[in-house]
Amino acid sequence: MADMIEREVVPGFRATAKEDGTYRLDRYTGHESALIVPAQLNGVDVTEIGEKCFAGNSYLTRVSLAEGITAIGREAFSRCFSLREAMLPKTLEKLGEGAFRESGLASIELPPRIEAVPPMCFRGCTSLEEVRPNENLWRVEREAFYGCEKLLGVDLPDGLEELDELSFAHSGLVRMALPRGLTRIGREAFAWCTRLIQLSLPDELEIMEDGACAGCIQLETIALPAALTELGVNPFRFCTHLSAIDVAPENDALVTQDGALFLRRERVLISYPLGLREKRYAFPAGLYEIGDYAFCGAGDLERLRLPMGLRRIGEGAFRYCDRLQRVHMPDTVQSIGHGAFRNCQRLDGVVVKKGSFAHEQLKAMRVNCIEV
């Protein structure tokens, strides 16, 4: 059995002999700007780049890993601010969490054996302009491309199934056609992609989680496919130019009416498009619930008459409705979520029946009530 003791095996490379008789590189102490990591050191195969092996190296501008290396550890090249190019071997099977986090990479090609982009792998790579995925990629994990502000688009392969939470948040995406086979978009996956003007969703999409496109201020339209049945908290809050949410006619779970998006059977209003720029909104009869953050940021609304039969108003439902002055609330309301009217700076009062449950809740929330 190998001794598993880290030592300097050749100048510049500290390594540990693994139990299988190969080396794991643990630390590079050299000062090369263009480096080839060899397949062998002193005749021993190198198979792994260890955790934080090159982290914080200020000299590297280009690195090429030899064929035979199968794994790159956690944050192995993180904060290598000068690193512009990394050539990865076809034998690579594993990328560690945050492997290139906050590095200076301009482009990257993912080898064919990499099936998932790990969490935070390229987070904060503000110079990253080009990503060339492989055909076997099935998942992009959380925050993988978070903050990649020069990344204008990625040609993701058919067969990709999942985009995890915050996977492309705060990136520079402009147009994105999501591939066939994608079934889930995670929480805030595209949040605050402020340049995004077009997002095409595949027919296979089934789940779109909370705030998936929150803050995509240039997005004007979105078409939701028939397979989409699970929708989280308003996926389109703070999408200030979104004026049209289209739903495939075959969709049994979702429906649009007068621009707004509803859960059909549950009678829940999920999202009001902020790009409508209306001063008033006529709620449909039979509405049971106004979902969390459903009208959040609707800065043009001035007066609202909530419908009779309404039972619940969600958390933050009318938050940041800056011009909202008057709301008429029915006494059927039994639940008002936290911060439902927070940051409604011009709200002079909510008209509500004295002694009703809604009246008591509004008072507890310190919302001015006009009693009737």
Side-chain angles (χ1 to χ4, degrees), residues 332-358:
T332 53
V333 172
Q334 296 296 308
S335 175
I336 302 175
H338 178 73
F341 295 96
R342 182 172 292 177
N343 303 106
C344 295
Q345 303 295 339
R346 301 187 187 182
L347 185 63
D348 60 17
V350 175
V351 180
V352 62
K353 183 177 179 180
K354 184 177 180 179
S356 66
F357 183 88

mmCIF file of all heavy atoms in Angstrom, residues 332-358:
data_model
loop_
_atom_site.group_PDB
_atom_site.id
_atom_site.type_symbol
_atom_site.label_atom_id
_atom_site.label_comp_id
_atom_site.label_asym_id
_atom_site.label_seq_id
_atom_site.Cartn_x
_atom_site.Cartn_y
_atom_site.Cartn_z
ATOM 1 N N THR A 332 -63.599 37.788 2.439
ATOM 2 C CA THR A 332 -63.371 36.351 2.293
ATOM 3 C C THR A 332 -61.902 35.974 2.484
ATOM 4 O O THR A 332 -61.576 34.790 2.627
ATOM 5 C CB THR A 332 -63.820 35.870 0.899
ATOM 6 O OG1 THR A 332 -63.182 36.674 -0.104
ATOM 7 C CG2 THR A 332 -65.324 35.975 0.756
ATOM 8 N N VAL A 333 -61.017 36.978 2.476
ATOM 9 C CA VAL A 333 -59.572 36.701 2.599
ATOM 10 C C VAL A 333 -59.263 36.158 3.987
ATOM 11 O O VAL A 333 -59.596 36.771 5.009
ATOM 12 C CB VAL A 333 -58.751 37.975 2.312
ATOM 13 C CG1 VAL A 333 -57.272 37.748 2.633
ATOM 14 C CG2 VAL A 333 -58.910 38.387 0.845
ATOM 15 N N GLN A 334 -58.597 35.002 4.033
ATOM 16 C CA GLN A 334 -58.267 34.343 5.294
ATOM 17 C C GLN A 334 -56.771 34.295 5.572
ATOM 18 O O GLN A 334 -56.352 33.911 6.663
ATOM 19 C CB GLN A 334 -58.807 32.909 5.280
ATOM 20 C CG GLN A 334 -60.321 32.821 5.217
ATOM 21 C CD GLN A 334 -60.977 33.415 6.460
ATOM 22 O OE1 GLN A 334 -60.635 33.055 7.582
ATOM 23 N NE2 GLN A 334 -61.912 34.336 6.249
ATOM 24 N N SER A 335 -55.956 34.681 4.613
ATOM 25 C CA SER A 335 -54.506 34.627 4.807
ATOM 26 C C SER A 335 -53.835 35.699 3.961
ATOM 27 O O SER A 335 -54.112 35.817 2.758
ATOM 28 C CB SER A 335 -53.970 33.238 4.422
ATOM 29 O OG SER A 335 -52.573 33.206 4.500
ATOM 30 N N ILE A 336 -52.953 36.467 4.595
ATOM 31 C CA ILE A 336 -52.168 37.487 3.895
ATOM 32 C C ILE A 336 -50.706 37.228 4.222
ATOM 33 O O ILE A 336 -50.293 37.260 5.383
ATOM 34 C CB ILE A 336 -52.566 38.911 4.320
ATOM 35 C CG1 ILE A 336 -54.059 39.146 4.066
ATOM 36 C CG2 ILE A 336 -51.739 39.947 3.556
ATOM 37 C CD1 ILE A 336 -54.567 40.487 4.572
ATOM 38 N N GLY A 337 -49.923 36.966 3.199
ATOM 39 C CA GLY A 337 -48.526 36.593 3.387
ATOM 40 C C GLY A 337 -47.646 37.746 3.845
ATOM 41 O O GLY A 337 -47.981 38.928 3.698
ATOM 42 N N HIS A 338 -46.496 37.389 4.405
ATOM 43 C CA HIS A 338 -45.530 38.355 4.906
ATOM 44 C C HIS A 338 -45.125 39.334 3.801
ATOM 45 O O HIS A 338 -44.811 38.938 2.679
ATOM 46 C CB HIS A 338 -44.290 37.613 5.417
ATOM 47 C CG HIS A 338 -43.206 38.516 5.910
ATOM 48 N ND1 HIS A 338 -43.294 39.211 7.104
ATOM 49 C CD2 HIS A 338 -41.999 38.847 5.358
ATOM 50 C CE1 HIS A 338 -42.197 39.920 7.270
ATOM 51 N NE2 HIS A 338 -41.398 39.721 6.231
ATOM 52 N N GLY A 339 -45.152 40.616 4.131
ATOM 53 C CA GLY A 339 -44.691 41.642 3.205
ATOM 54 C C GLY A 339 -45.527 41.796 1.958
ATOM 55 O O GLY A 339 -45.027 42.260 0.930
ATOM 56 N N ALA A 340 -46.808 41.424 2.037
ATOM 57 C CA ALA A 340 -47.659 41.476 0.850
ATOM 58 C C ALA A 340 -47.729 42.871 0.242
ATOM 59 O O ALA A 340 -47.822 43.023 -0.975
ATOM 60 C CB ALA A 340 -49.062 40.985 1.186
ATOM 61 N N PHE A 341 -47.681 43.911 1.091
ATOM 62 C CA PHE A 341 -47.770 45.293 0.596
ATOM 63 C C PHE A 341 -46.512 46.093 0.947
ATOM 64 O O PHE A 341 -46.541 47.322 0.978
ATOM 65 C CB PHE A 341 -49.007 45.981 1.179
ATOM 66 C CG PHE A 341 -50.296 45.372 0.722
ATOM 67 C CD1 PHE A 341 -50.949 44.425 1.495
ATOM 68 C CD2 PHE A 341 -50.847 45.720 -0.501
ATOM 69 C CE1 PHE A 341 -52.136 43.849 1.070
ATOM 70 C CE2 PHE A 341 -52.040 45.154 -0.929
ATOM 71 C CZ PHE A 341 -52.687 44.211 -0.150
ATOM 72 N N ARG A 342 -45.422 45.408 1.191
ATOM 73 C CA ARG A 342 -44.185 46.105 1.551
ATOM 74 C C ARG A 342 -43.668 46.920 0.367
ATOM 75 O O ARG A 342 -43.773 46.525 -0.783
ATOM 76 C CB ARG A 342 -43.120 45.103 1.998
ATOM 77 C CG ARG A 342 -41.808 45.747 2.439
ATOM 78 C CD ARG A 342 -40.881 44.732 3.044
ATOM 79 N NE ARG A 342 -41.407 44.245 4.319
ATOM 80 C CZ ARG A 342 -40.828 43.296 5.038
ATOM 81 N NH1 ARG A 342 -39.728 42.716 4.596
ATOM 82 N NH2 ARG A 342 -41.336 42.921 6.181
ATOM 83 N N ASN A 343 -43.113 48.081 0.667
ATOM 84 C CA ASN A 343 -42.531 48.986 -0.326
ATOM 85 C C ASN A 343 -43.558 49.539 -1.313
ATOM 86 O O ASN A 343 -43.209 49.948 -2.419
ATOM 87 C CB ASN A 343 -41.394 48.319 -1.091
ATOM 88 C CG ASN A 343 -40.294 47.808 -0.191
ATOM 89 O OD1 ASN A 343 -40.176 46.612 0.024
ATOM 90 N ND2 ASN A 343 -39.495 48.707 0.362
ATOM 91 N N CYS A 344 -44.830 49.537 -0.900
ATOM 92 C CA CYS A 344 -45.861 50.244 -1.673
ATOM 93 C C CYS A 344 -45.913 51.664 -1.120
ATOM 94 O O CYS A 344 -46.745 51.984 -0.248
ATOM 95 C CB CYS A 344 -47.206 49.530 -1.546
ATOM 96 S SG CYS A 344 -47.231 47.881 -2.282
ATOM 97 N N GLN A 345 -45.027 52.503 -1.603
ATOM 98 C CA GLN A 345 -44.782 53.797 -0.988
ATOM 99 C C GLN A 345 -45.974 54.739 -1.037
ATOM 100 O O GLN A 345 -46.128 55.610 -0.172
ATOM 101 C CB GLN A 345 -43.562 54.467 -1.662
ATOM 102 C CG GLN A 345 -42.289 53.630 -1.617
ATOM 103 C CD GLN A 345 -41.772 53.413 -0.207
ATOM 104 O OE1 GLN A 345 -42.102 54.160 0.713
ATOM 105 N NE2 GLN A 345 -40.957 52.388 -0.026
ATOM 106 N N ARG A 346 -46.836 54.619 -2.047
ATOM 107 C CA ARG A 346 -47.960 55.549 -2.205
ATOM 108 C C ARG A 346 -49.291 54.978 -1.726
ATOM 109 O O ARG A 346 -50.329 55.615 -1.906
ATOM 110 C CB ARG A 346 -48.090 55.967 -3.675
ATOM 111 C CG ARG A 346 -46.839 56.647 -4.222
ATOM 112 C CD ARG A 346 -47.083 57.191 -5.611
ATOM 113 N NE ARG A 346 -45.865 57.690 -6.213
ATOM 114 C CZ ARG A 346 -45.774 58.259 -7.407
ATOM 115 N NH1 ARG A 346 -46.879 58.393 -8.139
ATOM 116 N NH2 ARG A 346 -44.627 58.673 -7.891
ATOM 117 N N LEU A 347 -49.275 53.819 -1.126
ATOM 118 C CA LEU A 347 -50.515 53.200 -0.685
ATOM 119 C C LEU A 347 -51.114 53.989 0.473
ATOM 120 O O LEU A 347 -50.551 54.042 1.563
ATOM 121 C CB LEU A 347 -50.243 51.750 -0.249
ATOM 122 C CG LEU A 347 -51.467 50.920 0.129
ATOM 123 C CD1 LEU A 347 -52.402 50.732 -1.056
ATOM 124 C CD2 LEU A 347 -51.040 49.565 0.699
ATOM 125 N N ASP A 348 -52.275 54.597 0.224
ATOM 126 C CA ASP A 348 -52.899 55.387 1.294
ATOM 127 C C ASP A 348 -53.869 54.561 2.123
ATOM 128 O O ASP A 348 -54.297 54.982 3.194
ATOM 129 C CB ASP A 348 -53.585 56.637 0.740
ATOM 130 C CG ASP A 348 -54.689 56.334 -0.254
ATOM 131 O OD1 ASP A 348 -55.157 55.169 -0.299
ATOM 132 O OD2 ASP A 348 -55.084 57.243 -0.994
ATOM 133 N N GLY A 349 -54.228 53.356 1.627
ATOM 134 C CA GLY A 349 -55.076 52.525 2.453
ATOM 135 C C GLY A 349 -55.663 51.336 1.714
ATOM 136 O O GLY A 349 -55.760 51.319 0.488
ATOM 137 N N VAL A 350 -56.036 50.325 2.524
ATOM 138 C CA VAL A 350 -56.740 49.155 2.008
ATOM 139 C C VAL A 350 -58.158 49.205 2.563
ATOM 140 O O VAL A 350 -58.361 49.267 3.786
ATOM 141 C CB VAL A 350 -56.056 47.847 2.437
ATOM 142 C CG1 VAL A 350 -56.870 46.645 1.992
ATOM 143 C CG2 VAL A 350 -54.638 47.775 1.864
ATOM 144 N N VAL A 351 -59.125 49.221 1.669
ATOM 145 C CA VAL A 351 -60.525 49.241 2.072
ATOM 146 C C VAL A 351 -60.922 47.819 2.462
ATOM 147 O O VAL A 351 -60.845 46.891 1.643
ATOM 148 C CB VAL A 351 -61.418 49.751 0.937
ATOM 149 C CG1 VAL A 351 -62.873 49.759 1.368
ATOM 150 C CG2 VAL A 351 -60.973 51.154 0.499
ATOM 151 N N VAL A 352 -61.354 47.650 3.740
ATOM 152 C CA VAL A 352 -61.618 46.309 4.251
ATOM 153 C C VAL A 352 -62.720 46.364 5.300
ATOM 154 O O VAL A 352 -62.889 47.380 5.996
ATOM 155 C CB VAL A 352 -60.315 45.715 4.842
ATOM 156 C CG1 VAL A 352 -59.821 46.537 6.012
ATOM 157 C CG2 VAL A 352 -60.480 44.252 5.201
ATOM 158 N N LYS A 353 -63.472 45.286 5.415
ATOM 159 C CA LYS A 353 -64.567 45.226 6.385
ATOM 160 C C LYS A 353 -64.010 45.168 7.804
ATOM 161 O O LYS A 353 -63.173 44.336 8.128
ATOM 162 C CB LYS A 353 -65.437 43.999 6.124
ATOM 163 C CG LYS A 353 -66.644 43.897 7.035
ATOM 164 C CD LYS A 353 -67.505 42.697 6.671
ATOM 165 C CE LYS A 353 -68.704 42.585 7.607
ATOM 166 N NZ LYS A 353 -69.555 41.410 7.265
ATOM 167 N N LYS A 354 -64.499 46.050 8.627
ATOM 168 C CA LYS A 354 -64.044 46.116 10.014
ATOM 169 C C LYS A 354 -64.363 44.809 10.749
ATOM 170 O O LYS A 354 -65.449 44.261 10.652
ATOM 171 C CB LYS A 354 -64.741 47.284 10.725
ATOM 172 C CG LYS A 354 -64.257 47.502 12.143
ATOM 173 C CD LYS A 354 -64.934 48.724 12.765
ATOM 174 C CE LYS A 354 -64.443 48.939 14.183
ATOM 175 N NZ LYS A 354 -65.082 50.145 14.811
ATOM 176 N N GLY A 355 -63.353 44.320 11.467
ATOM 177 C CA GLY A 355 -63.527 43.114 12.256
ATOM 178 C C GLY A 355 -63.301 41.817 11.495
ATOM 179 O O GLY A 355 -63.307 40.732 12.091
ATOM 180 N N SER A 356 -63.118 41.906 10.194
ATOM 181 C CA SER A 356 -62.869 40.691 9.411
ATOM 182 C C SER A 356 -61.458 40.177 9.685
ATOM 183 O O SER A 356 -60.608 40.884 10.234
ATOM 184 C CB SER A 356 -63.035 40.974 7.918
ATOM 185 O OG SER A 356 -62.030 41.883 7.470
ATOM 186 N N PHE A 357 -61.218 38.955 9.316
ATOM 187 C CA PHE A 357 -59.895 38.375 9.507
ATOM 188 C C PHE A 357 -58.847 39.187 8.751
ATOM 189 O O PHE A 357 -57.759 39.463 9.265
ATOM 190 C CB PHE A 357 -59.876 36.924 9.024
ATOM 191 C CG PHE A 357 -58.565 36.226 9.254
ATOM 192 C CD1 PHE A 357 -58.309 35.580 10.446
ATOM 193 C CD2 PHE A 357 -57.575 36.248 8.280
ATOM 194 C CE1 PHE A 357 -57.090 34.947 10.663
ATOM 195 C CE2 PHE A 357 -56.357 35.619 8.483
ATOM 196 C CZ PHE A 357 -56.122 34.970 9.686
ATOM 197 N N ALA A 358 -59.194 39.590 7.528
ATOM 198 C CA ALA A 358 -58.267 40.390 6.735
ATOM 199 C C ALA A 358 -57.945 41.704 7.432
ATOM 200 O O ALA A 358 -56.794 42.159 7.438
ATOM 201 C CB ALA A 358 -58.864 40.644 5.352
#
